[in-house]
Amino acid sequence: DNLVYAKVVQALGERTNAVTLDLSELVTEEIEAEVKKMSEISMGTEISEEDIMNIQHLCTQITTISEYRAQLYEYLKNRMNAIAPNLTILVGELVGARLIAHAGSLINLAKYPPPQSRSLVLRRRSSEPSRQKHDTPKYGLIYHASLIGQSQPKYKGKISRMLAAKTSLAIRYDALGEGETNTELAFANRAKIENRLRQLEKQSLKRQSGGGS
């Protein structure tokens, strides 16, 4: 864990302090013992007091930024669950927030006609000839959704199109539901997508076993 590592370095300072320093609040007993053992047999050169100060200052910045990031994520999670619970269930807090930010607001996103709404979620292949030798991205803003990440590369296109359609419906339900917080629709649609993903994987296994027999 990078945050724990930074806190240990900040508390430790010089390696000679490891013998008497209590790190039980930061790490487990096993790790604390390992740190103290390594500090005694370390072959590293001594560093100046100025270097130690700069290192500890950097560790302080890392700790502060990490804590601020955790606070922002908690705030984002609470806000998304409050204003767009169905969208959040389908694509997650971060992807849902990116969709809303791209459109300007949840209402603006819901007002998009279905083809345009789906194209925001699922970017179409460019009609212009590409200079690149590989295919252009086709998963758009939902590429980082957990349902897309769970699927095999050859099924990402099918799952992403299915998820895009369900996401478009969830956006309208959240925006135009007049305060409704019912998430049964999102859970049901997510279950359908997961079931479809399992079916595709089973079909793939059957074809592989049939081809190998």
Side-chain angles (χ1 to χ4, degrees):
D1 190 332
N2 295 331
L3 181 58
V4 174
Y5 179 83
K7 288 181 178 181
V8 170
V9 172
Q10 183 181 10
L12 188 61
E14 294 186 11
R15 59 177 177 166
T16 55
N17 297 332
V19 179
T20 58
L21 189 65
D22 183 15
L23 300 174
S24 59
E25 295 183 359
L26 301 176
V27 295
T28 61
E29 294 182 2
E30 294 79 6
I31 297 178
E32 182 180 8
E34 187 68 19
V35 169
K36 292 183 177 182
K37 178 181 177 181
M38 295 302 296
S39 67
E40 294 176 356
I41 63 176
S42 173
M43 299 295 291
T45 59
E46 301 297 333
I47 60 177
S48 65
E49 187 69 25
E50 183 180 0
D51 290 337
I52 293 177
M53 290 178 60
N54 287 327
I55 291 171
Q56 289 181 324
H57 179 64
L58 178 60
C59 291
T60 302
Q61 289 182 321
I62 293 172
T63 303
T64 303
I65 293 173
S66 298
E67 292 174 351
Y68 180 57
R69 181 182 180 183
Q71 292 175 3
L72 280 180
Y73 178 73
E74 190 65 25
Y75 169 77
L76 176 64
K77 183 170 67 174
N78 293 334
R79 290 299 298 159
M80 286 299 296
N81 285 327
I83 66 175
N86 289 277
L87 176 62
T88 301
I89 290 169
L90 283 176
V91 299
E93 298 89 3
L94 292 176
V95 177
R98 287 173 184 166
L99 284 169
I100 294 174
H102 189 86
S105 69
L106 182 62
I107 293 294
N108 289 342
L109 188 59
K111 288 179 180 177
Y112 283 179
Q116 187 177 2
S117 176
R118 284 195 296 271
S119 67
L120 267 181
V121 182
L122 178 62
R123 187 184 308 147
R124 304 292 183 186
R125 287 183 182 273
S126 176
S127 58
E128 300 178 359
S130 176
R131 297 181 181 178
Q132 301 175 351
K133 294 182 180 179
H134 56 274
D135 293 337
T136 55
K138 60 179 180 178
Y139 306 121
L141 296 173
I142 62 169
Y143 179 75
H144 297 289
S146 61
L147 288 171
I148 304 297
Q150 294 172 13
S151 58
Q152 298 179 17
K154 59 183 177 181
Y155 298 137
K156 286 184 184 293
K158 291 182 179 180
I159 297 301
S160 61
R161 287 189 292 272
M162 188 175 182
L163 179 59
K166 302 299 184 184
T167 300
S168 180
L169 181 61
I171 290 169
R172 285 163 175 73
Y173 190 88
D174 287 332
L176 308 174
E178 298 181 354
E180 290 287 338
T181 58
N182 190 349
T183 56
E184 292 181 3
L185 175 67
F187 281 116
N189 286 335
R190 186 180 179 93
K192 290 178 182 178
I193 298 173
E194 291 174 343
N195 185 49
R196 177 57 177 162
L197 180 57
R198 286 192 293 268
Q199 289 177 352
L200 290 172
E201 291 175 348
K202 288 180 180 179
Q203 291 173 6
S204 177
L205 290 175
K206 287 181 179 179
R207 283 194 294 266
Q208 290 175 5
S209 61
S213 57

